[in-house]
Amino acid sequence: MVKAPGEAGEAVEELLSRVGTEPGPAVALEPEPPDGRVAVVTGGSSGIGRATVVAFARSGTHVAFNHLDAGKESRRAAEETREMLRETGVGVFARAADVRDPKEASAFIAEARDRLGGLHVLVNNAGIGRDRALWRMTDDEWRSVIDTNLSGAFYCTRAAAPYLRDQEFGKIVNVSSVHGLSSEFGLANYCSTKAGLIGFTRSAALELGPSNVNVNAVAPGYIRTTELTDRVPAEMLDRARERSVLGRLGDPQDVASVILFLCSEASRHITGAVIPVDGGYLI
C-alpha cells in the first residue's frame, strides 16, 4: 500500500533518527608520536621523490630519503635536497643506499626508523628507465630496471612491514606509471615493472590491511623532471601534451600532492587503489 505524503515523511524521519543513534564502526585514529610522523621516501633526491620529501617536511613530517651514489652529480642533488629540508625545521635523515640490494634496503629502513624515532609512511619511488626495443635490449638493461623499480619496492616494503604491523598503523604508496596501465614502444622492461608494482600494491594491501596499513599506488603520466627531458625526445613530449586532455605535462608537485593525500587520514578507507596523475593521458 502506498503511504500518504505525511506518513512517508514520518517514516523517513524515523529511519534517520535510528541511523543517527545506532552505533557505527569505530574510527581508527592514527597514532601521533610526540615528535610527529616519519616518512621514508626512496629515490628522494630529485624529481618526484624530491617534491614528495619537501611536501612531507613542509607539512611537519620528519623525512628520510636515500639516493643511489652514481657520482658527483647524484651526491650534489642529494645535498641540495638536504638543504631544502633543513629550512623546514623537521628531522632529516639521508644517505646513499642501493634498493636493488636487499641488505642495503633493509639497513636503510632500519636506520631511518632508529634515527628519526619511528616509521609511519613508506613511499617506494626509486626508479630508472633503460629504453630500447625488446629485441635489442640487453640482459643488464632488463635486470637493472626490474631490480630497481620492482624488486627495490619489495625489499623496502618487506623491511618496513614488521614495524607497521606491530604498531597497527601505516601508509605505503608505490610510484607506478601510466605505462603500467598502457604500454608504448621500447618500454618492455619499464612497463613490466610498473605493471608489476600495481599487482604488488594490491597484494600488499590485502596482506597488510588487517594491520590497519593502507597500500596504494599513483600512476604518473609525463612529468617534467630533468631525467624526463634529458631522456625523452622532444617530439614524444609534444605528443604526450597533445594526448593529455589538459594539454600539458605534469609537475612533480602534482604527484607529491596525491601521495600526501594517500598518506593522510582523509584517505583512511582507500587501499589497493591506483590513482592516475596524468592530466587525462589515459582517457
Side-chain angles (χ1 to χ4, degrees):
M1 185 173 94
V2 178
K3 290 183 180 289
E7 293 175 336
E10 291 173 4
V12 170
E13 288 181 9
E14 182 184 352
L15 177 61
L16 290 175
S17 68
R18 288 209 307 269
V19 171
T21 57
E22 288 176 357
V27 176
L29 297 177
E30 63 179 84
E32 286 288 355
D35 297 327
R37 284 200 291 171
V38 175
V40 175
V41 181
T42 66
S45 63
S46 62
I48 292 171
R50 174 184 284 182
T52 301
V53 295
V54 170
F56 273 126
R58 287 176 177 168
S59 74
T61 300
H62 305 310
V63 290
F65 72 90
N66 78 304
H67 69 282
L68 181 65
D69 189 349
K72 186 182 298 184
E73 186 174 335
S74 67
R75 291 191 291 271
R76 182 169 61 248
E79 185 54 38
E80 288 172 355
T81 305
R82 283 194 195 93
E83 288 301 319
M84 296 171 70
L85 295 174
R86 287 191 185 108
E87 297 172 1
T88 66
V90 302
V92 177
F93 170 67
R95 75 171 178 87
D98 189 346
V99 298
R100 296 173 297 184
D101 184 323
K103 291 182 179 178
E104 278 198 47
S106 181
F108 167 65
I109 295 293
E111 189 174 1
R113 179 178 179 271
D114 291 343
R115 291 286 192 95
L116 296 177
L119 174 59
H120 308 92
V121 172
L122 171 64
V123 179
N124 287 307
N125 168 74
I128 61 171
R130 298 289 184 268
D131 306 349
R132 193 181 299 274
L134 65 87
W135 56 88
R136 294 193 177 120
M137 191 172 290
T138 66
D139 291 348
D140 181 65
E141 288 168 337
W142 173 265
R143 277 196 302 265
S144 62
V145 176
I146 298 289
D147 290 347
T148 303
N149 300 7
L150 185 55
S151 297
F154 164 67
Y155 296 145
C156 290
T157 302
R158 181 177 64 181
Y163 305 130
L164 305 181
R165 292 182 69 238
D166 284 348
Q167 68 197 14
E168 295 189 334
F169 174 80
K171 309 283 187 181
I172 299 174
V173 178
N174 297 316
V175 180
S176 180
S177 167
V178 292
H179 294 125
L181 299 165
S182 176
S183 190
E184 287 191 15
F185 185 89
L187 301 179
N189 49 3
Y190 187 80
C191 292
S192 296
T193 62
K194 296 304 185 177
L197 267 179
I198 291 172
F200 177 65
T201 296
R202 289 170 175 156
S203 293
L206 181 69
E207 295 187 27
L208 295 175
S211 299
N212 193 36
V213 178
N214 302 67
V215 187
N216 293 290
V218 292
Y222 284 87
I223 305 296
R224 270 191 293 261
T225 63
T226 302
E227 182 181 359
L228 178 75
T229 53
D230 287 350
R231 184 168 58 92
V232 178
E235 57 270 21
M236 185 176 290
L237 296 180
D238 289 339
R239 286 199 301 271
R241 286 190 191 92
E242 293 170 3
R243 183 168 169 178
S244 165
V245 300
L246 295 179
R248 62 174 181 255
L249 302 180
D251 289 318
Q253 291 79 7
D254 296 324
V255 185
S257 296
V258 179
I259 292 173
L260 257 65
F261 164 70
L262 290 173
C263 295
S264 73
E265 284 305 278
S267 65
R268 72 183 189 90
H269 208 53
I270 300 174
T271 197
V274 182
I275 300 181
V277 189
D278 64 349
Y281 181 87
L282 290 174
I283 294 177

